[in-house]
Each structure stands twice: as C-alpha cells, then as structure tokens.
Amino acid sequence: MRLEMGIFPVRKVAFGSRTGYRDGSLTVNAQELKEVMMAEGGFLDVRFDLAHPGESVRIVHNVDAVEPLYKVSGRSCAFPGFLGRALTAGEGRTHKLAGMCILSTTRYPGPQTGIMTFRDSIIDMSGPGALYCATSETANLVACYEPIPTASNGEHDAAIRLATLRGASCLARCTADLKPEKIEVYELGEVGPTLPRIVYVDQVMHQAVMVATYVYGKDLDDSLPTLIHPNEMLDGAVVGANYKTGQKVPTYLHCNKPVLLELYRRHGKDVNFAGVIITRGHRDNQALKERSAQYVAKLAKLLKADGAVLAHEGGGNSSVDYFLTVQALEQAGVKAVPIMYETADPGSGDFPLVYTVPEADAIVSKGLQGQSIVLPAVERVIGSPKFKPYGGTLVDTASSFEVTNADLYADEWGMELSHFTGKDY
Amino acid sequence: MPTNKKIRVVHYVNQFFAGVGGEEKGDHPLTFREGPVGPGLLLQRLLGAEGEVAGTLFCGDNAYAADPGAEAAALDHIERLAPDLLVAGPAFNAGRYGLACARLCLAVKAGGKTAAVTGMYPENPGVSACRRQVHIVPTGDTAGGMGEALPKIVRLGLKLARGEELGPAQEEGYLPRGVRYNAFAEVPAAQRAVDMVLKKVRGEPFTSEFTFLGFDRVAPPAPLKGLKGKKIAVVTEAGMVPPGNPDRIPGSRASTHHWNKYSFGGRTELPKGSFICIHGGFNTVFVNEDPDRMLALDALKQLEREGVFEKLHEEFLSTCGNGGPVHVMKQVGQAMAKEARAAGVEGVVLPAT
Amino acid sequence: MLVTCLPDVAKDVGANRILKTRAGHFHHPFGDPSRPEASERRWRLEATKKALEVLTEPVTEPTVFEY
C-alpha cells in the first residue's frame, strides 16, 4: 500500500470570488462552499469566519477541526464511509491543504445529560492559551452552524459532521490539477530483518453521542480492537466526534497522529513500523476492559511486534482500559511504552494517574492537567459572545479570565505538540 | 538576601561518623560540638568561603530513635545557633541513621526558619519518611560514596539556604518528591516514546517520566460485630443530587465545598426524578430512570424493616468524584467522615462509578 | 465499604472493603437494566445484603468481595 501525499501548505485563507490555491494562500468563494456544505441539509444555516495564528482572536463552541484532503487518484475518497463508499483508503495520491483547518462551531439544540454533554472549549490564536490549543497554529476557516431547533443533538451532530467533511474535501479539490509543493510518500516497505518491530496502539474514545469516534463512517460502539494501516488514517478513515474539551482528538489529529508520523519517519532507519491497532477505551465493565486488552496484545503478537507505543484519548475510566492493555502487552512479551497526561494538579503532590499497573514502568508524560492560565482580553471573538467553562460560570468571551488547561481545545494534544512534559521539582 | 552572605550551617551526624564508636555506642546521647566534626571537615572545605559549619550535632542511632528528648535537644541547639541550613548525614544505607536525618530535617523545616538537606541511598527507609517534604541527594549505599555525595549536597544546600529557585529534581540532583509541574522537553512525546520503546526492546536502561510515590494507605477499620443495632449511611461520589442541583455541584473537578447531605424525605424507594445524577463522566440515563440503581434505598429500607440492621441514616452524603483532584477529594472524604460520625453512623455503603 | 463494577481502581487507591457487583456497567453499581423490573429489585436486595455483610468482614488490606 503506497500513498503519495501532495502537500499544499496554507499560511493564509481569504474570501474571494473564485476558490483557488496559490503560493501558500487559499482563496474561498464562501457562497459556493456554503452550497456544497448545505447540500444535504440537516441544519439551518452556516456562516464563515477566519482566524489566523498570531491574531487576537478567541474561538468558542468548537466541535471538530478538519484538514482538507482530496483524493486525486486511488479507489477510495477522502474520509471514506462519509463522503463515499468504505473502500480501503491509503493508496494512490491525496492532496492536502496542509496547515489549515475547517473548524466547526455550533450549539446543540437538545437537552444534554451526563457524558452526552457538549463541553465548551476555547481556541486562542495568540497569547498564553495558544500554546495549549491543538489548532492555534493552523489557519482556520471557521464554520458556525445554526441548528434546526427541533433536531436531536445526534441528528444535528451527524449533519454538521458530514457538512464539514464535504466542505473540507471540496476546498482541497481546487488543487487537483496543481503541482504540490512537495510529495510525501507513505509505504511500509521491506526493511532489514534486525530492526525491532514496533506497533502503534491508538486507544480512542467512544461512549455515546458527543463522545464518539468513527472508522469508515461507523462509530466504535460495540467494536473489538482491530488493525488499520497507517495510510488509511492519513486518508481520513478515522473521524473524531468527541467533545470532551481537553481530551478530544479532532479529525485533523486523527490524520496527523504524532506517534504514527514518528514511526513512519523512522521506518527502515531504527524501527520496523509493524502496523496500527485501533481500540476504544471506556469499555462498560472490568470484564470487557480485560477482553479488549487481551485482544490488543494478541493482535500485536500476530504482527510479531517486539514493542508497542500507545496513545490515549479519554479520562480516568478509559485509563483503566489503557493500562490493562499495557499489562497484557507486557505479559505477552511486547515491550510497551504508553504516552499519558498526568491528572495531578501542578504542585499538589497527588498521585499522577487514576489507575496504573506494575508493568507500566516506562511512561512518557505529556504534561499535567489542572494548570491554571489567565487568558488576556482579545480583540475579536468567533462562536459566541459568552463562554461557560465546564463547571464554571458564564463570562464574556472577549474578556480576560482564568481557566485551566482542560478548558482549551484538545489541550492534551496541543500540549503534546508544544513539547510539554511533567517534571518533579 | 545578598548572595555574598556567608551561609551558616549546622551539621548532623551519627555516633559512628562523629568518631564516638560503632553499634555498641548506639545509645550515645545527643551532643553538640563547635565547628566541623568527621565528614564535616570535608563539608567545610567544600563550602569554602561561601559557608561556615558553625557546629555539629551528633547522636547514637538508638538514642535518637528511642528518646524523644534527643530531637528536642537538637532543636534547642539549632534554635540557639540560628543557622541558615541544616545538613543531615549523608546516611547512605544506614536505616536508623537515615530515619534520624529524616526526622530532624522534617522538624527543622516545620520550624520555617532553616533550610534542610540530606543525602541517602534511595532504598534507605529514611527516604520514604521524608521525601515529599525534604530535598534528599541520592547517594551510594556505603560511606565510600562520601566524596561523591557531599559536593552535591553542598551545591543543593547553598541554593536552598539562599532561597534560590530550584530546577527539576533530575537536573538539580535530588530525589523526586512527587511534586510535579509542567515543563518543556527538547523533543516531542512521540519521539521520546519511540526512543524509550527501542531501549526497552534492546534491554538498555530507560527512565520512566512518571513518578509514583503511592497513594496514602488507610488502615482498615475493625469490622462491625454483626449488623444488629447498627446505623448505616449511604455515601456516594456519583453526583446524586436533588432535582435542580441546588448546591451547584459540578459534573467534574469538584472543589472541597462541593458536597452535601440530602434527606431521603421519608421515602422507602426512589422514583424517577426524586434525585438526579449530575456526574459528567458516564451515561446517566439509567440512574436517572431509577435512582435506586445508585442509592439502593428500596433494598436498604426493606433490610431495615426486616431488622437486618437497626437504622438507615435519613440523609445520604454526596459529591461528584469525576476528575476530582486527589487532595480535594481527600478533604471532601474527611468532612463526610466527620459528618457521618457525628450522626452516630457505624457503617457506610458507598456506591461508586 | 465501596460498591463498584471497577474493583481494580478501588483497590489501587486503597479502599479496604470493596464489593464488585455484576451490574454489567459502571454506570449503576446497584442496578441491572437488562433484567425485568421485579428481577432487578430482587437482585439489588441480595447485592445490598452482601454489601452490608462486607462491613462485618475482617480485612487487613484492600480486599475485593463479589456478588
């Protein structure tokens, strides 16, 4: 399986009469884009706005962020299962508007309970908060969706997800006949037999509406851990629909998973990238968590893995699934290194995890949650003039206020991208 | 504080390092000498012009452990000498010596006037006795490591005495205290993780980036001698509250005041809507359908009627544990325990999610 | 004593008397919506009885009982 990824770096997005890409700039005909995105209906309206890195802009009501992909050749489309049949992706040529996102923002029309709650989040495009947000360094075309008041949250969510993916693919299509600035080739070619075989175990989050992850258009509700080729993920086979603010993995990151890219970078040099196992956390009870962990270890053994690097999306409950998986891998003879954020507040001296196992003797820290940050006042606001942090009180979005890092959009990933770690003092 | 101020140091050693004698002199009482003694001579040399060993306290290991007066006397001397820094040990792998160093450092730090530093082998029991509060330089397991340990102790001790900001434990050379902060790494987590898994696969040494010093352990209370005549309460962290959530208990990351007691209101079972679940970490639909799935009031009331136990406490205590920091939840738990005890409760059933 | 479907976490944090119920789902340690109502009530009564009995069990460290 060979994927050529044609890179069209986007540093600037602007509105204009004709959609087109030139020299790092994307011009967007907003009316055309709106028609494409509204073609299947399901929501009342969509408005667009722009936010670039370094600007004094704060975006709230954030849902997903999608880096535009368009399939120039190959059997599948981009975001297969959503924009076309679930044919195996990851082959042929894909064009990417790299370094930009369509960012969806909305409010949900129906009642929200328990985990099935939309947790609001902040993206600051500059200032101290920007360091913690996952999409503060991308040029963002923000799509603000207006719901149909009588729609259920699930219906509204499905409609705007599809519209955002369609919009993203439509934008990238304008590069179809252009020559990419560079072409990245992704192929798990034969390598020397002595290189250690390393698998990437990607534990994503799934519980219900608002806490979902999709693979080829279907959520992972009753799924078993399974194999997926890294190229399929690069082509948008995994789509994020988890709105747990800090924990969430936007689709943009599912297409740019740091461990996946790192293993590809080193494939044939000092590792043999043996494949990706995708699994969900938050399984319903102890028995199902153990079953899932055993499955991951078994798949890793079938891949003849010597080692595994694991990534985690989720909270305390899914950390049980995660560390049981580490244990199962180690017991099966596969050396495991999980990457994890720390749950103890900075300086508290608390135990840093909800759950761990003795076998987890090599954990990489991507920083601590509970970091207090004072956000400055901003010049411009997108999404809503009011913001309510999870469990907090309503504030003026444009004003200066204090948050913890978990209020910032996909902060666990933003922090990872900013090289955060935890250290003892 | 001007940096050229000479740091005044008091040094603590045991009877062996003071040259009094070995195991047979373990009962030697706490003694004070002006100036450096034993390893204190090297300590003074390393301090050079930056510090002065004003005096040395030494004590037999058994005496320090057995006689509370020894520590009190040591603290009296320290109060009188008013040093900037206490250097204890290093104790290497000597267990009782390590514990004495730990206790003295803790007591001196608690006084708030004098900085304290010690050195020990990481397995010394003195480490777990004080590592969260006291800066400990890791040493070898025998006195052969003196020459390596003391320069590190001096460097760290001078910083502590001057109130300088310390860097991360690994860079400053002290044992992790379990006090963690955000910091930046040279390379991203993915790269560090692949590096680490390769070391693991190749059998090379690697260092986990997490520090686990363990949860506090609470000794189990004695079992109830039968249930007859006992008063039982329901306590939960599942975010069960009256409709409307009058105390605004958040669905995640509760604070210490985010708990309350709620009356069952004389009910014998909990119909839909009598209490609601505001926990933000799971699907609350099933519990909101039937709150007894969490609080089991129907079953407890029946067992109370049958005389299995005497009385169900009329109020249940509730907080939301979702994402709750341990130090916060510990305080909530302590406050709840106090409340339950005051109400004469002898046993608690705590449904948790 | 603590009632849960996730005994490993309870053990890890040092709860001493733990009852693991087979409620099937951590959302409701004293419920099992897969059963008909009368059967669920009977099951809860037995689980609650067991929970109370756990209070009378001598333990020296975090210990998991099952119902």
Side-chain angles (χ1 to χ4, degrees), chain A residues 65 67 99 101 130-138 200 246 248-262 339 364-367 369 409-421, chain B residues 183-192:
Chain A
E67 202 176 22
C101 284
L131 205 55
Y132 297 84
C133 306
T135 51
S136 57
E137 290 183 1
T138 51
Y200 171 36
K248 74 166 278 106
V249 179
T251 301
Y252 155 66
L253 270 166
H254 281 302
C255 298
N256 290 279
K257 278 280 169 81
V259 175
L260 183 151
L261 296 174
E262 176 69 11
I339 302 174
V364 167
S365 166
K366 53 182 187 176
Q369 294 297 303
Y409 186 71
D411 89 285
E412 285 168 18
W413 299 86
M415 289 174 72
E416 181 171 341
L417 298 174
S418 300
H419 298 200
F420 271 94
T421 186
Chain B
F184 293 98
E186 299 244 317
V187 301
Q191 191 177 338
R192 299 188 329 262

Side-chain angles (χ1 to χ4, degrees), chain A residues 29-41 43 46 48 162-171 173:
Chain A
N29 179 321
Q31 189 53 37
E32 266 177 33
L33 181 63
K34 181 171 172 167
E35 281 162 20
V36 167
M37 290 168 73
M38 291 198 72
E40 305 218 3
F43 53 93
V46 59
F48 300 112
L162 189 57
T164 306
L165 296 173
R166 283 175 70 101
S169 192
C170 167
L171 286 182
R173 195 173 58 206

Side-chain angles (χ1 to χ4, degrees), chain A residues 272-304:
Chain A
N272 184 348
F273 187 3
V276 181
I277 299 167
I278 188 164
T279 180
R280 61 160 277 206
H282 238 297
R283 305 245 180 215
D284 291 356
N285 56 41
Q286 188 79 19
L288 290 177
K289 289 177 191 303
E290 284 167 6
R291 168 179 174 263
S292 179
Q294 293 293 311
Y295 246 92
V296 171
K298 174 173 56 193
L299 292 174
K301 287 303 278 184
L302 286 170
L303 291 171
K304 299 187 169 55

Side-chain angles (χ1 to χ4, degrees), chain B residues 250-275:
Chain B
S252 178
R253 291 191 67 84
S255 302
T256 50
H257 65 280
H258 284 137
W259 69 277
N260 211 343
K261 47 187 177 176
Y262 299 118
S263 170
F264 287 118
R267 294 185 187 90
T268 54
E269 60 177 37
L270 297 176
K272 180 178 178 178
S274 53
F275 293 98

Side-chain angles (χ1 to χ4, degrees), chain A residues 233-394:
Chain A
M233 296 183 69
L234 295 172
D235 253 354
V238 180
V239 167
N242 166 27
Y243 310 134
K244 295 294 158 275
T245 313
Q247 297 165 357
K248 74 166 278 106
V249 179
T251 301
Y252 155 66
L253 270 166
H254 281 302
C255 298
N256 290 279
K257 278 280 169 81
V259 175
L260 183 151
L261 296 174
E262 176 69 11
L263 286 170
Y264 244 134
R265 191 173 68 81
R266 294 163 76 158
H267 180 67
K269 298 194 181 82
D270 57 358
V271 306
N272 184 348
F273 187 3
V276 181
I277 299 167
I278 188 164
T279 180
R280 61 160 277 206
H282 238 297
R283 305 245 180 215
D284 291 356
N285 56 41
Q286 188 79 19
L288 290 177
K289 289 177 191 303
E290 284 167 6
R291 168 179 174 263
S292 179
Q294 293 293 311
Y295 246 92
V296 171
K298 174 173 56 193
L299 292 174
K301 287 303 278 184
L302 286 170
L303 291 171
K304 299 187 169 55
D306 301 302
V309 174
L310 298 88
H312 169 268
E313 178 190 18
N317 183 303
S318 48
S319 72
V320 179
D321 308 61
Y322 194 56
F323 283 99
L324 287 175
T325 305
V326 170
Q327 186 170 55
L329 284 163
E330 287 277 340
Q331 286 173 354
V334 180
K335 303 292 180 202
V337 173
I339 302 174
M340 193 64 187
Y341 65 89
E342 306 187 29
T343 51
D345 287 353
S348 67
D350 281 352
F351 199 73
L353 286 173
V354 170
Y355 181 69
T356 185
V357 295
E359 289 83 355
D361 58 358
I363 314 177
V364 167
S365 166
K366 53 182 187 176
L368 284 72
Q369 294 297 303
Q371 177 79 51
S372 174
I373 304 155
V374 177
L375 300 179
V378 290
E379 290 167 14
R380 194 157 64 91
V381 158
I382 302 174
S384 170
K386 296 280 182 188
F387 172 78
K388 189 171 181 292
Y390 187 58
T393 49
L394 207 62

Side-chain angles (χ1 to χ4, degrees), chain A residues 113-116 119 131 196 198 207 244 258-259 262-263 265-266 270-271 282 306-309 330 335-337 339-342 345-354 356 359-368 370-371 390-391 404-405 415-416 418-425, chain B residues 132 135 166-171 174-198 200-202 206-215 248 250-253 258 277-285 288 322 325-328 353:
Chain A
T113 59
I115 193 76
M116 292 180 287
R119 287 190 202 159
L131 205 55
I198 308 296
Q207 275 188 279
K244 295 294 158 275
V259 175
E262 176 69 11
L263 286 170
R265 191 173 68 81
R266 294 163 76 158
D270 57 358
V271 306
H282 238 297
D306 301 302
V309 174
E330 287 277 340
K335 303 292 180 202
V337 173
I339 302 174
M340 193 64 187
Y341 65 89
E342 306 187 29
D345 287 353
S348 67
D350 281 352
F351 199 73
L353 286 173
V354 170
T356 185
E359 289 83 355
D361 58 358
I363 314 177
V364 167
S365 166
K366 53 182 187 176
L368 284 72
Q371 177 79 51
Y390 187 58
T404 70
N405 50 355
M415 289 174 72
E416 181 171 341
S418 300
H419 298 200
F420 271 94
T421 186
K423 282 189 181 167
D424 269 281
Y425 281 81
Chain B
R132 283 177 181 274
H135 291 88
L166 290 189
Q170 237 159 2
E171 288 158 35
Y174 57 92
L175 287 174
R177 301 186 302 148
V179 181
R180 312 268 296 167
Y181 287 94
N182 276 316
F184 293 98
E186 299 244 317
V187 301
Q191 191 177 338
R192 299 188 329 262
V194 175
D195 289 344
M196 203 183 287
V197 81
L198 289 179
K200 256 190 130 169
V201 168
R202 294 186 198 121
F206 55 86
T207 311
S208 182
E209 295 180 359
F210 273 61
T211 312
F212 299 114
L213 300 185
F215 285 107
R248 294 175 172 272
S252 178
R253 291 191 67 84
H258 284 137
C277 179
I278 53 83
H279 195 286
F282 64 86
N283 184 347
T284 53
V285 168
N288 284 329
N322 185 30
V326 176
H327 63 279
V328 172
T353 51

